[in-house]
Structures are given as structure tokens and as C-alpha cells.
Amino acid sequence: MSEASEATRADRALKAKHRAMWALGDYPLVATDLIPDLGPELVRESGVRPGTRVLDVAAGSGNAAIPAALVGADVVAVDLTPELLEAGRELATERGAKLEWREGDAEELPFADADFDTVMSCVGVMFAPHHQRAADELVRVCRPGGKIGLVNWTPEGFIGQMFAAMRPYAPPPPPGAQPPPLWGDEGHVRSLLGDRVTGVDARRQLLRIDLFSAPEDFREFFKRCYGPTVAVYASIAGDLDKVTALDTALADLAARHLADGAMEWEYLLVTADRAA
């Protein structure tokens, strides 16, 4: 097998693993119960209006795509995981939102160049393993003068720290895969987009989370619902010492951030104009 063929085979295997990971647990519940405000905020900050042609990349169950459609935009939601798309369709029907749902890879979007007025992603594209490839696709499908809008967890914020806490217990990433929270670093995002965008506005902001009254409540919710956490626990299920150690690490992390029944999770909001 040629080196190129081997690389293609490995990439397909990695994407299949990612697809399966996000089907674990109950990510739609995470999106609706924990972060429902992030999607509407991204829609507002991206200037989405009636008639805007919008692509939501790594859309999950539509936490940004559905609010965009409810504004009156012409929306396509694309995601790697069919189970999330199906959950999104059901949620959109419940909310009276009309939009298109497409299965697709953020690193190889099934759309033509300059096909959208606004290209956005709400804590989604950050999980594509090859950051430059994904960024290139965001830019490619956005028309000149169009808007790119992103919300991503920061490395220093709570979710970035959670991934750092899980890392010692997770299988090693394949060569070339980059950590998701890097997308929450302004310098990294500017480097990925380069001079193909102008008018970059990047702001670190805090999301208040008041769903958990105790650190263990957070841990058990994520063990049950959040695909990446479910997958890490599955990988160490046969090692009680590691399970106990990760249980402690996640509860300790939550304890450091939980005050009066609430936590604040930091994210980076980025908007930019596609250069002509």
C-alpha cells in the first residue's frame, strides 16, 4: 500500500472513531441543558438575518443552526454523526424551524466554493483533528465579503482544563491530530485563517453554568452524556485504579470552579470577514 493510501485509510478510520464517539452518551441534552445560549449568541454576532445563506459546520443537533433558521435564514447544518443530525431534525420540528441537514466532514465539506454568506461553528469544528484543513474549508465555502463566526472553548477555561484532566487516561491521539481547545486560542485561530479574512474580532467570554449543585453531579452528567468523556471511561473500564483516579480528577476540577451552585466556562467568540 502506498504512503498516500495508508494515510487515507488512517484518516477514514479516525473519522469513523470520531463519528462513533459523538454518538455516545446524549450530546443533544448537553446542548439543550448546558449551552443553549451559545448558539443564539453566535447567530447574533455573525449578523445572520432573514434570507442569509448560512452553513453551520459540525452542527451537532443544531444549537446554532436552529436559532439561525428561526431568524429566517436559509440554513444548512452539516455534521459527521448521523445520530446528532436525526436529533436535530426532531428538535427543529418541535421548534418550527425549517433547514437542511447534511452528513459531512468539516475537513472536506460537500459544498461549492463561496456557497454561503455566513459560515459558523459553535463548539463543533474545534473537534476536527486537522485544524488547518478544517479552517481552509471554512474559508473556501464562504463567499468574499461573507462572515465567519466561531465559538470555541479556550485551553485555559473549564472545558479546556477538563480535556487536560482526561488526557492521561485517553488513548494517544494519532499523528497529526491537534488538541481541540487550541481553537480557543486567538493567535491559533488568526494563524489558521491568515490573510484570507479581515476585520477579525476575538473576545473571551464566560458562560454561567448552574445545573450542578455538587462536583460529583457534574462528573456523573458528563460520564453519562458527553461523548468524549464517555469514550475515555470506556477505554479504561477494565482498570479500576484509573477509573477511580479519573473520577477524582474530574470531581476535583469541578470543585475548584463551583461556587454557590454555579460555574463559569470560558469560550472564545471570533467573527471575521472573508477577504475579497
Side-chain angles (χ1 to χ4, degrees), residues 125-197:
V125 74
M126 65 183 291
F127 293 100
H130 307 105
H131 293 188
Q132 191 61 64
R133 195 183 304 172
D136 291 347
E137 284 293 273
L138 296 178
V139 173
R140 180 183 67 79
V141 299
C142 186
R143 66 166 176 81
K147 185 76 71 176
I148 295 173
L150 305 168
V151 164
N152 296 308
W153 303 119
T154 67
E156 300 84 4
F158 180 82
I159 296 297
Q161 291 181 41
M162 184 192 75
F163 275 96
M166 294 194 300
R167 191 175 302 123
Y169 306 95
Q178 295 174 280
L182 276 178
W183 275 92
D185 178 85
E186 179 182 346
H188 184 67
V189 176
R190 285 181 178 273
S191 176
L192 292 174
L193 299 176
D195 61 5
R196 299 171 298 178
V197 299

Side-chain angles (χ1 to χ4, degrees), residues 6-269:
E6 178 64 24
T8 299
R9 185 194 65 79
D11 191 60
R12 287 175 178 168
L14 176 60
K15 298 302 173 56
K17 183 178 179 180
H18 276 219
R19 186 182 298 114
M21 178 184 73
W22 286 108
L24 297 172
D26 189 351
Y27 185 76
L29 184 65
V30 175
T32 57
D33 284 19
L34 284 182
I35 60 171
D37 295 338
L38 288 184
E41 179 186 26
L42 180 59
V43 170
R44 289 192 304 271
E45 294 294 330
S46 298
V48 175
R49 294 175 173 81
T52 304
R53 180 158 168 77
V54 175
L55 177 65
D56 186 8
V57 179
S61 52
N63 57 325
I66 292 173
L70 291 174
V71 167
D74 175 14
V75 181
V76 180
V78 62
D79 197 275
L80 193 65
T81 304
E83 290 86 348
L84 296 184
L85 295 173
E86 185 56 37
R89 289 188 186 96
E90 294 178 5
L91 189 59
T93 298
E94 291 173 9
R95 296 184 179 179
K98 295 183 179 181
L99 63 154
E100 180 181 351
W101 301 87
R102 290 277 299 274
E103 185 176 341
D105 184 351
E107 297 180 3
E108 194 174 354
L109 293 170
F111 306 105
D113 296 356
D115 205 8
F116 295 91
D117 302 312
T118 300
V119 179
M120 61 184 185
S121 184
C122 185
V123 294
V125 74
M126 65 183 291
F127 293 100
H130 307 105
H131 293 188
Q132 191 61 64
R133 195 183 304 172
D136 291 347
E137 284 293 273
L138 296 178
V139 173
R140 180 183 67 79
V141 299
C142 186
R143 66 166 176 81
K147 185 76 71 176
I148 295 173
L150 305 168
V151 164
N152 296 308
W153 303 119
T154 67
E156 300 84 4
F158 180 82
I159 296 297
Q161 291 181 41
M162 184 192 75
F163 275 96
M166 294 194 300
R167 191 175 302 123
Y169 306 95
Q178 295 174 280
L182 276 178
W183 275 92
D185 178 85
E186 179 182 346
H188 184 67
V189 176
R190 285 181 178 273
S191 176
L192 292 174
L193 299 176
D195 61 5
R196 299 171 298 178
V197 299
T198 62
V200 176
D201 181 28
R203 286 173 274 156
R204 288 185 178 231
Q205 301 189 163
L206 295 172
L207 177 68
R208 180 181 171 85
I209 302 291
D210 57 9
L211 186 65
F212 310 114
S213 59
E216 293 76 17
D217 296 337
F218 154 77
R219 182 189 67 207
E220 295 307 310
F221 182 90
F222 268 63
K223 285 177 70 172
R224 184 177 71 254
C225 297
Y226 192 59
T229 307
V230 176
V232 171
Y233 272 99
S235 73
I236 60 173
D239 191 326
L240 181 59
D241 289 342
K242 287 186 177 180
V243 171
T244 301
L246 182 52
D247 276 348
T248 300
L250 292 181
D252 287 350
L253 172 65
R256 294 195 298 271
H257 287 260
L258 190 63
D260 298 324
M263 292 188 278
E264 291 187 325
W265 295 0
E266 186 182 62
Y267 60 95
L268 182 72
L269 171 65

